[in-house]
Amino acid sequence: MQKKSSATIYDVANRVGVSLATVSRVVNGNSNVRDSTKRKVLDAIEELGYHPNAVARGLASKKTTTIGVVMPDVTDMYYAELARGIDDVANMYHYDVLLTNTDEDPVRETMAVNNLSSKQVDGIIFMGNELDREVLNTIAAADAPVVLAGSVDSEGKLPSVNINYVNAIQEATETVINHGHRRVALVTGPMSHAINRLHRLVGYQAGLEAAGIEFDEGLLFTAHQDYAAGMQIAEKVLQAGANAVIAYDDEVALGIMNYVQEHGQRVPEDFEIITSNDTKFAIVTRPELTSIGQPKYDIGAVAMRMLTKLMNNEIIDDTQVQLPHTLERRGTTLD
């Protein structure tokens, strides 16, 4: 028998001669249906090609088994690796994933959270470098739990999974200082972003202070998160007399490295570089980039597992999870 392309629950009920409620019970695994009736309903579902609508089921169960993921850039290797961890754990717990790209635009981020809420998702995972007040207000109003993955909010109230960015940047800063460099630059994103102002900058200053080096604002730079921005900011880094740099993004670090080498600096003998995300960019360059190693897949996976617990109203002892980082020493540092 030819299957219908858009069979509905009404078609299944009519085929078997049962109520809509009976079909719904079978679809949702309710045991309060006679085996003979259940077999007839399942046969009709197969014959008609009926695919239950998750949102429609959610009207009765208040669950759609769907979660939303808000990403600033689906092409960015860092966020893509987080998304892999999210998706794998979501599949393990039988959740479908709705992915939305925002280009890190606060207006689009607000729209994304609102749209996902209107689709009755059971939970949301948010990724991005900044949560402005409007985004935070939208998240607070969402009728679903929200977990941050690789992101921070300035007040530290939302459940999140990260590394300790302060400690990571401090370790990177101290590493190049211990190699004899006193003019260490920090290249990061906008200081209006909490992750830069309250974490990366604080870790950088702590590293300088531990070495007895006074903070020089002339060695603090901000750049967009791409290769071209790294090439552009590198000129200013060299003009400031820096002989080492800590960069917040691998593409930025790659741009800096290529620029300084093109302008007579030997890496790492004259100029050292440590990047932060340890994506594939860090290992396809020559020399390979020394990087703060982040367990990106695990950050996504743990965030998704935390979300499953929140969606099931389970008690969570720690909603501010920090996973361990490493320092992957490669060719842009002396050891």
Side-chain angles (χ1 to χ4, degrees):
M1 184 175 296
Q2 185 176 3
K3 295 182 180 181
K4 294 176 65 175
S5 59
S6 57
T8 69
I9 191 172
Y10 299 98
D11 297 321
V12 176
N14 288 335
R15 171 63 62 84
V16 182
V18 297
S19 68
L20 297 179
T22 297
V23 178
S24 179
R25 291 190 191 101
V26 173
V27 168
N28 289 291
N30 192 314
S31 60
N32 191 26
V33 180
R34 285 186 297 181
D35 288 343
S36 59
T37 302
K38 180 179 178 181
R39 282 195 299 272
K40 292 178 182 178
V41 171
L42 292 175
D43 287 344
I45 288 174
E46 175 64 24
E47 291 173 4
L48 295 171
Y50 169 59
H51 298 286
N53 184 283
V55 174
R57 291 203 311 268
L59 294 175
S61 67
K62 300 191 184 300
K63 286 189 176 183
T64 61
T65 62
T66 302
I67 66 109
V69 176
V70 180
M71 288 181 69
D73 184 355
V74 296
T75 67
D76 186 283
M77 289 185 183
Y78 175 79
Y79 294 114
E81 189 69 11
L82 264 65
R84 283 189 61 244
I86 293 168
D87 190 58
D88 283 354
V89 175
N91 286 333
M92 185 185 306
Y93 286 90
H94 307 293
Y95 282 94
D96 295 320
V97 177
L98 291 178
L99 186 64
T100 180
N101 181 79
T102 66
D103 290 332
E104 207 160 9
D105 178 348
V107 174
R108 291 186 62 180
E109 289 172 344
T110 300
M111 290 176 57
V113 175
N114 278 327
N115 289 340
L116 290 170
S117 296
S118 70
K119 289 179 171 59
Q120 298 178 309
V121 296
D122 296 333
I124 297 172
I125 292 181
F126 187 98
M127 293 184 276
N129 284 320
E130 178 63 1
L131 293 90
D132 72 1
R133 179 49 53 188
E134 187 64 29
V135 175
L136 286 170
N137 289 342
T138 305
I139 288 175
D143 189 24
V146 177
V147 175
L148 306 181
S151 306
V152 299
D153 67 290
S154 57
E155 297 176 356
K157 292 182 178 179
L158 289 171
S160 66
V161 184
N162 295 287
I163 64 167
N164 189 316
Y165 297 105
V166 174
N167 289 352
I169 296 296
Q170 179 176 352
E171 181 181 352
T173 304
E174 291 178 350
T175 295
V176 293
I177 290 174
N178 290 338
H179 295 164
H181 299 295
R182 309 288 291 181
R183 301 283 296 171
V184 180
L186 175 67
V187 177
T188 188
M191 280 298 119
S192 59
H193 293 181
I195 193 170
N196 298 318
R197 183 180 70 257
L198 303 178
H199 296 263
R200 292 179 174 127
L201 177 58
V202 171
Y204 169 69
Q205 291 175 320
L208 296 176
E209 183 179 358
I213 300 175
E214 186 175 349
F215 169 64
D216 180 354
E217 195 166 348
L219 290 171
L220 177 63
F221 302 91
T222 60
H224 292 297
Q225 201 167 345
D226 58 47
Y227 174 81
M231 290 285 285
Q232 292 169 1
I233 205 66
E235 180 180 5
K236 296 179 181 179
V237 170
L238 288 181
Q239 288 175 348
N243 46 28
V245 66
I246 311 299
Y248 81 118
D249 177 78
D250 294 354
E251 286 192 62
V252 173
L254 178 56
I256 293 171
M257 182 178 73
N258 286 349
Y259 183 93
V260 300
Q261 289 187 127
E262 290 170 3
H263 288 76
Q265 298 289 309
R266 297 175 301 162
V267 177
E269 293 83 0
D270 303 322
F271 194 97
E272 291 196 64
I273 303 170
I274 298 180
T275 187
S276 297
N277 290 342
D278 200 29
T279 65
K280 290 181 181 178
F281 281 120
I283 59 175
V284 298
T285 64
R286 292 297 178 271
E288 296 181 2
L289 290 164
T290 294
S291 180
I292 295 167
Q294 301 191 41
K296 297 176 286 297
Y297 179 93
D298 291 346
I299 290 173
V302 173
M304 182 62 215
R305 181 66 183 105
M306 183 187 295
L307 186 63
T308 65
K309 292 181 179 181
L310 291 172
M311 291 186 296
N312 290 325
N313 296 315
E314 297 179 33
I315 297 175
I316 301 177
D317 295 330
D318 184 10
T319 60
Q320 304 296 313
V321 176
Q322 291 186 339
L323 300 181
H325 69 274
T326 58
L327 186 61
E328 302 298 326
R329 299 173 186 268
R330 301 191 181 101
T332 56
T333 52
L334 290 171
D335 62 13

